[in-house]
């Protein structure tokens, strides 16, 4: 007879006792009313049996004073594996009456039963065998299959509602002794089989409902997680959409600002031009008034000199104003030129981008053509290889045709040409060797066919990707066309601005010519005033004789004033007339002044 292992016998006995205690507890609880107290004997016996099952094969741990052997260590490990067990462990540690680890373990078992999660906690513990090996021996009940059976039996305790008072109970000093008299059969057990069948059916229904609830809770939690993820993705998409809208609004605002700045610059230049035109007209009017005043100055010289000095000061002030206005116009023109240069730089950058995109398009088109050509070549090669395989299978008896087909296969297969030629040379020596080699070649061609098919598949995938890239590039080219249209619009605007600038430059040139003419006229007036400053003209009544011929004036000899020196002479002495810019008609001058003025004109002196 074979000797049984004592640890296996102990495990079997503990398993049978666990079955009896759990079955008796469920039956008695159903007959008692399902809500149990801590004084209920079957419940106490159940905790005793569970304590013995957990103690089986427990390793002895060395402590500071003595050797310690307790089940609190593995039960305390449950909170690390199952997060919901943290509440039980925390409440057990906070109980004031418990002093020993065994008492804490008993309290933990009672709280787990009240929560109806004892089976779940122990199942998590049994799965982690590597962690349990620190506390139990290899032959312990919790390390073997009996532990899994007991955990399965504990699921049936979920039908029991227990109301246990752990706080005031003395769990440290209890003695765990199993009462076997409770599990002996009696006559009442035979009559209660039908009732047990009904109770088992009810328990099965309750277990089914609880499992359904657990599954529904898991589905609800997964749906909540999906809803949260969808909400997060929705919020992210909304944020991205808001950012894109803000970017569009900013770009539109920048566009409006640039357009408003352009219009402001145009308005400023127009205002400057209008102001300069008004100033020129005012100068012309003042010049006309001054020319009229010169005729009056010849009648009243002293009064005119004072007025001339005042007019000269006014003209100088106006000239200073004109110079400042000219500087402002030049600055505005420089700013416009800077803007035009910047726009030209941006246009050059856009052209470069256009050229790059065109080059990329050409490269992609060339790659597409190369890939299509390669696909066609591969399809031809695959067709040829299939034809060769059919020919080899059909013409196994004819060796000469096989040699020609092998030579054709050698010509088409790039890497295997030399090998196949050498094989065909050797095959001509013996038919049997050639037959075996042909079979090998068949296998190789089949593998080549498979490789070619895979290669064709990869090429089709690459072609699909290339088509996608071509579609993307078409979209980009459409965008580039739109940019080109905008670029043409900007070029038209640039041409318009150039035309406006050219018109403004022409207007400025006209103004400069008019200003130079006005300066020359003012210098002529200044020279005339200087010539008149040192002389005192005679009155017509006091002048009776000509200064040149010293004859008395009469009707035939009329008085004439020299417009340069102011001397009075007769018409017979000098009939010299000169055109001056200060008078519309030619004026009379004496002979000496006439010679001096002609000499100045010959020497280009104004």
């Amino acid at each position: 007879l074979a000797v049984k292992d004592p640890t296996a016998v102990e495990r079997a006995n503990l398993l049978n006792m666990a079955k009896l205690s759990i079955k008796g507890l469920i039956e008695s609880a159903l007959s008692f009313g399902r809500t149990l107290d801590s004084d209920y004997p079957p419940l106490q016996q159940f905790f005793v049996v569970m304590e013995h099952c957990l103690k089986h094969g427990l390793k002895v741990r060395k402590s500071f004073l003595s050797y310690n052997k307790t089940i609190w260590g593995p039960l305390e490990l449950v909170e690390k594996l199952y997060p919901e067990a943290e509440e039980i462990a925390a409440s057990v540690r906070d109980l004031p009456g418990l002093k020993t680890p065994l008492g804490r373990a008993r309290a933990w078992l009672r709280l787990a039963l009240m929560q109806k999660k004892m089976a779940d906690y122990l199942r998590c513990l049994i799965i982690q065998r590597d962690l349990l090996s620190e506390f139990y021996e290899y032959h312990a009940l919790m390390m073997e299959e009996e532990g899994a059976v007991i955990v399965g039996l504990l699921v049936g305790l979920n039908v029991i509602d227990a109301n246990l008072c752990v706080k005031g109970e003395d769990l440290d000093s209890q003695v765990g002794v199993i009462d076997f008299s409770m599990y002996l059969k009696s006559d009442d057990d035979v009559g209660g089989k039908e009732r047990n069948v009904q109770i088992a059916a009810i328990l099965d229904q309750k277990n089914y409902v609880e499992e359904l609830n657990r599954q529904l809770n898991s589905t609800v939690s997964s749906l909540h997680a999906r809803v949260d993820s969808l909400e997060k993705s929705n919020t992210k998409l909304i944020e991205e959409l808001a950012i894109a809208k803000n970017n569009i609004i900013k770009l539109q605002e920048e566009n409006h600002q640039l357009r408003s700045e352009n219009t402001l610059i145009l308005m400023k230049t127009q205002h400057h031009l209008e102001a300069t035109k008004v100033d020129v007209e005012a100068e012309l009017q003042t010049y006309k008034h001054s020319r009229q005043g010169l005729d009056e100055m010849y009648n009243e010289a002293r009064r005119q000199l004072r007025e001339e000095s005042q007019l000269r000061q006014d003209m100088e002030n106006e000239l200073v104003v004109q110079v400042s206005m000219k500087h402002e116009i030049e600055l505005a023109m420089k700013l416009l030129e800077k803007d035009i240069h910047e726009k030209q730089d941006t246009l050059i950058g856009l052209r470069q981008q256009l050229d790059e995109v065109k080059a990329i398009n050409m490269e992609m088109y060339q790659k597409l053509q190369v890939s299509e050509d390669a696909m066609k070549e591969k399809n031809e090669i695959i067709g040829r290889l299939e034809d060769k395989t059919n020919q080899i299978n059909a013409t196994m008896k004819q060796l000469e045709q096989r040699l020609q087909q092998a030579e054709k296969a050698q010509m088409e297969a790039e890497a295997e040409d030399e090998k196949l030629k050498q094989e065909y040379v050797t095959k001509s020596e013996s038919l049997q060797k050639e037959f075996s080699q042909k079979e090998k070649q068949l296998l190789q061609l089949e593998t080549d066919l498979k490789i070619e098919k895979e290669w064709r598949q990869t090429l089709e995938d690459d072609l699909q990707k290339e088509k996608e890239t071509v579609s993307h590039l078409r979209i980009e080219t459409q965008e580039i066309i739109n940019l080109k249209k905008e670029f043409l619009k900007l070029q038209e605007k640039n041409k318009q601005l150039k035309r406006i600038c050219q018109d403004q430059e022409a207007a400025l040139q006209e103004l400069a010519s008019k200003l130079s003419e006005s300066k020359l006229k003012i210098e002529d007036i200044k020279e005339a005033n200087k010539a008149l400053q040192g002389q005192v003209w005679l009155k017509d009544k006091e002048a009776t004789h000509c200064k040149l011929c010293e004859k008395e004036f009469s009707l035939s000899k009329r008085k004439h004033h020299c417009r340069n020196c102011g001397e009075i002479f007769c018409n017979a002495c000098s009939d010299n007339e000169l055109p001056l810019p200060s008078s519309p008609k030619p004026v009379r001058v004496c002979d000496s002044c006439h010679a001096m003025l002609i000499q100045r004109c010959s020497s280009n002196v104004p």
Side-chain angles (χ1 to χ4, degrees):
L1 293 173
V3 179
K4 291 185 178 180
D5 188 7
T7 56
V9 174
E10 289 176 0
R11 289 198 301 272
N13 292 332
L14 286 171
L15 178 62
N16 293 325
M17 284 305 303
K19 289 179 181 178
L20 289 172
S21 62
I22 291 166
K23 183 180 178 182
L25 180 60
I26 292 169
E27 291 176 353
S28 61
L30 292 173
S31 62
F32 187 68
R34 292 191 184 180
T35 304
L36 307 177
D37 296 330
S38 58
D39 297 332
Y40 192 61
L43 185 62
Q44 291 178 356
Q45 287 298 311
F46 167 72
F47 286 125
V48 171
V49 172
M50 284 303 299
E51 187 177 340
H52 281 284
C53 290
L54 291 170
K55 281 182 179 179
H56 184 262
L58 194 68
K59 289 182 179 180
V60 178
R61 287 180 172 270
K62 291 182 180 181
S63 62
F64 184 69
L65 296 174
S66 62
Y67 292 97
N68 189 9
K69 189 176 182 181
T70 179
I71 60 173
W72 173 240
L75 294 178
E76 194 176 10
L77 189 65
V78 175
E79 63 178 329
K80 295 179 182 178
L81 303 174
Y82 202 85
E84 293 182 4
E86 292 178 357
E87 295 180 1
I88 297 175
S91 59
V92 167
R93 291 189 191 96
D94 294 336
L95 286 173
L98 298 176
K99 296 179 182 179
T100 61
L102 185 61
R104 293 192 190 94
R106 289 169 177 171
W108 189 90
L109 290 171
R110 282 159 175 76
L111 290 173
L113 182 65
M114 282 194 286
Q115 280 190 348
K116 297 183 179 181
K117 289 185 178 180
M118 185 184 289
D120 296 332
Y121 295 156
L122 293 178
R123 182 175 59 81
C124 292
L125 194 63
I126 286 169
I127 291 169
Q128 302 292 330
R129 296 285 178 88
D130 53 350
L131 296 175
L132 278 177
S133 62
E134 297 179 1
F135 299 97
Y136 289 100
E137 300 289 344
Y138 68 94
H139 56 78
L141 185 138
M142 296 297 288
M143 297 289 287
E144 298 292 337
E145 294 180 356
E146 287 84 355
V149 175
I150 291 170
V151 170
L153 293 170
L154 290 173
V155 177
L157 296 176
N158 293 332
V159 299
I160 298 171
D161 295 327
N163 188 8
L164 307 176
C165 183
V166 183
K167 190 173 182 181
E169 193 173 356
D170 187 13
L171 298 174
D172 294 328
S173 60
Q174 285 184 0
V175 179
V177 179
I178 299 172
D179 188 6
F180 293 100
S181 63
M182 294 177 65
Y183 307 111
L184 297 173
K185 289 185 178 180
S186 61
D187 296 332
D188 296 331
D189 295 333
V190 178
K193 286 183 180 179
E194 296 178 357
R195 186 179 178 186
N196 290 331
V197 171
Q198 293 176 358
I199 290 165
I202 292 165
L203 288 173
D204 292 335
Q205 289 177 0
K206 186 178 179 184
N207 291 328
Y208 176 70
V209 170
E210 286 180 353
E211 287 294 327
L212 278 177
N213 286 328
R214 286 182 183 176
Q215 291 178 0
L216 290 171
N217 288 325
S218 63
T219 53
V220 166
S221 62
S222 64
L223 288 171
H224 280 301
R226 286 181 67 187
V227 167
D228 292 333
S229 64
L230 289 171
E231 286 178 352
K232 288 178 181 177
S233 63
N234 194 4
T235 51
K236 285 181 181 177
L237 289 172
I238 290 165
E239 289 176 357
E240 289 176 357
L241 199 145
I243 291 163
K245 286 182 179 177
N246 291 325
N247 290 326
I248 291 164
I249 291 163
K250 286 179 181 177
L251 291 170
Q252 288 177 355
E253 288 177 355
E254 288 178 358
N255 194 359
H256 288 303
Q257 286 179 358
L258 290 170
R259 288 181 180 175
S260 61
E261 287 176 359
N262 196 358
T263 52
L264 285 170
I265 290 163
L266 290 171
M267 292 292 288
K268 285 180 181 178
T269 52
Q270 287 177 1
H271 285 305
H272 284 304
L273 287 170
E274 289 175 357
T276 52
K277 286 179 182 178
V278 170
D279 293 332
V280 169
E281 288 175 357
E283 286 179 0
L284 288 171
Q285 289 177 2
T286 53
Y287 178 68
K288 288 177 182 178
H289 289 299
S290 64
R291 190 173 64 186
Q292 292 175 2
L294 286 171
D295 295 332
E296 294 175 358
M297 279 170 61
Y298 289 113
N299 296 322
E300 296 176 356
R302 292 178 182 176
R303 185 174 61 79
Q304 275 186 346
L305 284 170
R306 292 177 184 175
E307 289 177 359
E308 288 261 336
S309 62
Q310 290 179 358
L311 285 169
R312 189 170 64 240
Q313 289 178 357
D314 293 334
M315 291 294 288
E316 287 176 356
N317 293 326
E318 286 178 0
L319 280 169
V320 171
V321 172
Q322 286 291 328
V323 170
S324 64
M325 291 293 288
K326 189 177 178 182
H327 286 301
E328 289 179 358
I329 289 165
E330 287 177 356
L331 289 170
M333 291 298 293
K334 286 179 181 178
L335 291 171
L336 282 170
E337 286 177 358
K338 285 182 181 179
D339 292 332
I340 288 162
H341 286 305
E342 289 177 357
K343 288 178 181 177
Q344 285 178 355
D345 293 333
T346 54
L347 290 173
I348 289 163
L350 288 170
R351 283 176 183 171
Q352 290 177 357
Q353 289 180 0
L354 240 173
D355 294 333
E356 290 175 357
V357 170
K358 285 180 180 177
I360 290 164
N361 284 330
M362 289 297 293
E363 288 179 1
M364 295 305 293
Y365 182 72
Q366 289 174 0
K367 287 181 181 178
L368 213 162
Q369 285 182 348
V370 170
S371 62
E372 287 179 354
D373 295 334
M375 280 293 297
K376 288 178 181 178
E377 289 178 359
K378 296 299 175 186
N379 290 325
E380 290 176 359
I381 290 165
I382 289 163
R384 289 173 183 175
L385 289 170
E386 288 177 354
D387 294 333
K388 284 179 183 180
T389 52
N390 293 323
Q391 287 174 3
I392 288 165
N393 289 321
T395 60
M396 287 291 289
K397 295 179 182 180
Q398 297 176 358
L399 295 173
E400 292 178 357
Q401 293 178 357
R402 287 175 187 174
L403 287 169
Q404 291 176 358
Q405 290 174 0
E407 287 176 356
K408 289 179 182 179
Q410 286 173 0
M411 293 297 290
E412 290 173 358
E414 296 176 355
E416 296 177 358
D417 287 333
E418 295 178 359
K419 293 181 181 179
L420 291 171
K421 286 178 182 178
Q422 291 175 1
E423 287 175 359
Y424 282 129
V425 170
T426 54
K427 284 174 186 177
S428 62
E429 294 175 358
S430 61
L431 294 173
Q432 292 178 355
K433 290 180 181 180
E434 286 177 358
F435 185 75
S436 61
Q437 287 177 358
K438 290 295 177 180
E439 288 180 351
K440 290 179 182 179
Q441 286 177 0
L442 273 172
L443 294 171
Q444 288 178 357
L445 289 169
E446 287 176 356
T447 53
D448 290 334
L449 267 173
K450 289 179 183 179
I451 292 164
E452 290 293 332
K453 286 179 181 178
E454 291 176 357
W455 196 12
R456 184 178 180 181
Q457 188 65 32
T458 53
L459 286 171
E460 287 177 355
D461 295 334
D462 292 333
L463 199 144
Q464 188 66 29
K465 290 179 182 178
E466 292 293 332
K467 286 180 180 178
E468 291 177 357
T469 52
V470 167
S471 63
H472 287 301
L473 288 169
R474 283 177 183 171
I475 293 164
E476 289 178 356
T477 50
Q478 190 65 33
E479 292 177 354
I480 289 161
I481 290 163
N482 296 325
L483 288 170
K484 196 173 181 180
K485 291 179 181 177
E486 293 179 358
F487 174 68
L488 293 171
K489 291 179 182 177
L490 289 171
Q491 278 185 344
E492 290 176 358
K493 289 181 181 178
N494 192 6
K495 289 179 181 177
Q496 291 176 0
L497 289 170
K498 283 182 179 178
R499 288 174 187 171
I500 292 163
C501 289
Q502 289 175 0
D503 295 335
Q504 289 174 357
E505 287 176 356
L508 287 171
Q509 288 177 0
E510 290 176 0
L511 286 171
S513 63
K514 289 180 180 179
L515 285 170
S516 63
E517 290 175 359
S518 62
K519 282 182 181 179
L520 292 172
K521 290 176 182 177
I522 289 161
E523 287 177 356
D524 293 334
I525 293 163
K526 285 180 182 180
E527 287 181 357
N529 288 329
K530 285 179 182 178
L532 292 170
Q533 280 179 2
Q535 297 177 1
V536 179
W537 289 7
L538 290 173
K539 293 181 180 180
D540 290 339
K541 293 179 180 180
E542 293 178 356
T544 58
H545 292 82
C546 177
K547 288 287 185 77
L548 297 175
C549 63
E550 294 183 355
K551 290 181 180 180
E552 191 176 357
F553 292 112
S554 64
L555 291 172
S556 60
K557 290 185 179 182
R558 294 184 297 276
K559 294 179 182 179
H560 289 285
H561 288 278
C562 180
R563 293 298 179 94
N564 190 26
C565 61
E567 294 292 337
I568 297 171
F569 57 91
C570 64
N571 57 352
C573 290
S574 179
D575 57 353
N576 297 317
E577 290 183 354
L578 287 173
L580 291 177
S582 59
S583 63
K585 294 180 180 180
V587 296
R588 285 180 175 272
V589 293
C590 62
D591 292 334
S592 60
C593 292
H594 185 263
M596 181 185 70
L597 291 170
I598 288 169
Q599 188 178 2
R600 282 188 180 182
C601 291
S602 62
S603 61
N604 293 325
V605 177

